[in-house]
Amino acid sequence: MQKSVFLAAVAGVGMTAGVASAATLDDVQARGTLNCGVNTGLVGFAAPNAEGEWEGFDVAVCKAVAAAVLGDPSAVEYVSLTGKTRFTALASGEIDMLSRNTTQTFTRDVDLKFEFTGINYYDGQGFMVPAELGVSSATELDGATICIQTGTTTELNLADYFRSNNMDYEPVPIETNAEAQQQYLAGACDVYTTDGSGLAATRAAFENPSEHVILPEVISKEPLGPVVRHGDNEWGDIVRWTLYALIAAEEYGVTSANVDELAEGTDSPEINRLLGTEGNFGEVMGLSSDWAVNAIKAGGNYGEIFARHIGEDTPVGLSRGLNAQWTEGGLMYAPPFR
Amino acid sequence: MTSVTEPPRESFRLSMLLNDKRYRFYTFQFVALLLLIVFMAYLGWNLVRNLAILGQDISFEFLGTPAGYDINQSLIPYENQDPHLRASFVGVLNTLLVAFLGCVTATIFGVLAGVLRLSKNWLVAKLMAVYVEIFRNVPVLIWILIIFFVMTAALPPPSAFRGDDPSSTMLFDAIALTNRGVYVPKPIWGAGSGALAAVFLASIAGAIYYRRYATRLLYATGRLLPMVWPTLAILILPTLAAYALLGGPVTLEYPELRGFNFQDGIQIRGSLIALWFALAIYTGAFIAENVRAGILSVSHGQTEAAAALGLRPRRVMSLVVLPQALRVVIPPVISQYLNLTKNSSLAIAVGYMDVTGTLGGITLNQTGRAIESVLLLMLFYLLISLSISAVMNLYNNAVKLKER
Amino acid sequence: MSDTHAEAAQLAFVRQEPIPPAPPPVAEAGIVKWLRDNLFSSVPNAILTLASLWAIWWLLSSSMPWVFNGVWDAGSLRECREILDGATGACWAVVRERWAQLVFGVTYPEEAYWRPATAFVLLFVALAPVLFPKAPRSLLPFTAVYPFLAYFLVWGGSVWVPVMAAAGFVVGYLVFQRLVAQSFAMGFFGAIAAALVFWWVAGFVTPTLTAIAPITLEAVESRNMGGFMLNLILGTVCVSLSLPIGIALALGRQSGMPVVKWICIVFIEFIRGVPLITLLFVANVVLAYFLPPNSTFDLILRVIIMITMFASAYIAEVVRGGLAALPKGQYEAASALGLDYPQAMRLIILPQALKISIPGIVNVAVGLFKDTTLVSVIAMFDLVGMIRGPILASTDWNGVYWELFGFAAALFFVVCYGISQYSQWLERQLQTDRR
């Protein structure tokens, strides 16, 4: 009886989308919204708040891209994805970009045919244990029960680490971060392992964060960044350079507060090229000339986004560490806007 | 020569394809086949184009590459450098394990609840009705999650057993209930345990022989030998004697808290218990209804006729009511077993590493081979259900033969 | 004769009326008898009763204080614990604070909550004439309109999309009426073709119509649906879609044409042989490969397709049972009347077979509705997904399991128990009809 709903839905989709073209940029502009894949819920990185609005460090990247492409940071449809569903959603075109703390690896880049567009967070896998266990190093974890999120690189890193150190462990695979948290807090596992940032975010949500310690060992390199489909280089460039614009903005001291003022023209040619008062970088990418201004206004520069969502003053409380600007000893290094 | 006049031979017209019954039979089938082929070809063509765009292919070579991940519960030796195929097989065995345990327990729950629901005791009957209605009407996924979380939250972690004055202690110094699972003693088969097993097998054979003999004697002379006690004695006594004579070849290895966890003994993991218990309790509610319907389906006249023949109530049950009820009960119960096996794929929600967790979960994620993994997964479940259906058909045929 | 009279006369007292019946012994009357009969008829029975009483007492005494001492007003689990101050009590505040999210999901626009709520209420009005034989027949036209109305309310957008979709059905029906006189097949396929052509044309006309008469509600995309609403949508849409497909499959499986028969058998047995979760994996990670490149089928639509396939296989088996239960005489009588296959099916067989299978279909519907919770495994935010995902992940409510799952279980219990009671009622109705 309700066949019509289905048919009407199909008809509706057909009417709004029309004939989809291969270029993601055209699709996004025709649609008027950006479909962005995010985590199902990781405090600080991507989680819906009580009002149901998505917020977080990864979400800010989506907003910046939407602002750059469409001029409106709120024109984003968030699609929450698990470790398992994220790549299929991207490959099938359900989302335009994936911003879900995804580790850049050889296999994913080359074999699974995705394109990593820069790195917005340098991370590494770590371990968290209750302080009362008295463990001070990961090498003391022989025989431990370890909670782990399935479908991530952490599973393989963990197996490698324990094998190379000749230790035994018992994995407890868990689907979501919330459930892992619960298992860990109840003592069903001794150790929780995931990316260092995820550990900090998880610990921040605990009642007594100080009762848990994050061990010093970092057993893997986890460069996290936004991902797009392989083959659409124009779209990849837009996502990549939007991210770089945020990083460069911090380097040059462009903030959401002064961007309007600076966009009227400055003495610095770099800032002028970034903000579109000099050159036509926006048009070259198929965007408006004030794309970077919009992106920066959406949530501030890289440093502001970091500070607001996961910085030391937030419950997550991450220090910049590797993610500081290269001028301050970190790895954040935007190529020149030239 | 036949006297019936043949219908006049018409020359073939195109409209006859639709209007003439003889041709329409073929037209429809041809059209159906054509539509099927076109549909399949369309899907295939889309698949080929999509794969070309994404630069992927279909290949099962990934099954031979090292899996790279660890599985916490494995019935066969497995380590993370074994190929994906072996990891999948570990998952298959885990699925079969939980399905088997679940079916046995669900049958016990179901029969108990079904029989008690018909009890003359009003309170018990109502209580069982409440059990059946509550568990039948809430999704099994919610039950699995509730039991899993409750176990994690309510049972103590192993660290609670540590120290001079632990907050939790083991039951009988042998069984540890923790939120990581239940640790029970493990039998160690020492020298001479082979002989013990042989004695036990022999006593089973002896018990069967005794029962046959008693039945024959009953039919031949009408003399009724006691059944239950002698059978139990034949089963247990020789084995006990052998155990004592051989000097206790089988010893128990008790679980012991060492390092982070209990070591030794057998660990029944929390995820397995949650899944097993939830499936059993949920399916048990359905089986209870089947059992109840089966017993009610035996007409009252049968019971009365049996009573009129002078049979005692226990014998009325075992010789008249049950055999007839079973014929009605068993087919739906078998399909409940099938449902239970299929529902065991929800293991993924609590991290039990069944075949959906290994092949359809981690292997799929790590290799990105979605089509191949899901295809193999479906084939596995299909194989299981086809074999269960085959068993059911065999049973139905057997029952039918007796009926007529 | 006279002898007796004489004897009677000699007696001092003869009772003229019967003694009034003595009240039964205390142990054999009223509540005591009931107790003895039903609870304490024998020693084992008494033990059973006492054990049950103990179990009930234990259950109630451990859960009731927790339920009724609950905190309804708090901003987080921490606050709850502070208010309770060590006493046992539930933290119902989470249900209160996240009520809208549990029911409508995270992203459904708040100002549009009235729309799915209205659609839900109207669902009962629309279903009444189908489910209750005594409901006024005049509601039937509303039932026909309801799917389009519900689509408009829940999804929003231009009113012309559902209107055109409905018009397509009307056109198809009119064509069917005209052509069915020639042959059923002609009418059937003609109607489908006409409807398809109409929809194709409507696809061009609708934007213009919307521009001329912009009657629109704010459009809400499928992916913004969540919470219990998503379970209800998936349940109703998939069951309604699978009914016609299931009937067609059942007829196909009974048909004498081997090709059609085998296609149906393979489809039904395949779908029934695999767990729903693998079909959801297909919807989630595989189906996109089999759709045209760049097609924009979103996840909920793919899930609806797979769940509908799943449900139709089960409904087909129920309907097949109904068909098989009809006495062979019905088929033969239809043939004797000279009815052809479509006529016999439409007028004689299906009305009776469907009536027999209604309880079975309702059972399938309940099962399917419960199974819609499985979509949480593929990261859709239905009721269970909302609980496992955003709510438990939030800093405020991390650790509130009993309350949330208890709430979810209660919601499902109310709906499913209601439907199964209806089904039992209907079964009784149908039985009296036949006797």
Side-chain angles (χ1 to χ4, degrees), chain A residues 15-77:
Chain A
M15 273 176 249
T16 50
V19 182
S21 65
T24 314
L25 176 61
D26 297 342
D27 286 353
V28 173
Q29 282 174 337
R31 201 189 303 131
T33 53
L34 172 77
N35 292 336
C36 193
V38 292
N39 204 310
T40 48
L42 180 61
V43 174
F45 285 85
N49 61 18
E51 283 80 51
E53 283 153 18
W54 285 89
E55 56 185 23
F57 187 69
D58 284 336
V59 169
V61 176
C62 302
K63 285 184 174 166
V65 173
V69 176
L70 302 164
D72 177 9
S74 63
V76 189
E77 285 287 344

Side-chain angles (χ1 to χ4, degrees), chain A residues 113 145 169-171 186 190, chain B residues 54 70 72 179-180 261 269:
Chain A
K113 310 280 186 206
T145 303
Y169 72 106
E170 187 183 315
D190 305 300
Chain B
L54 297 170
D70 287 292
N72 52 13
N179 60 4
R180 289 179 197 176
N261 282 314
R269 278 180 183 71

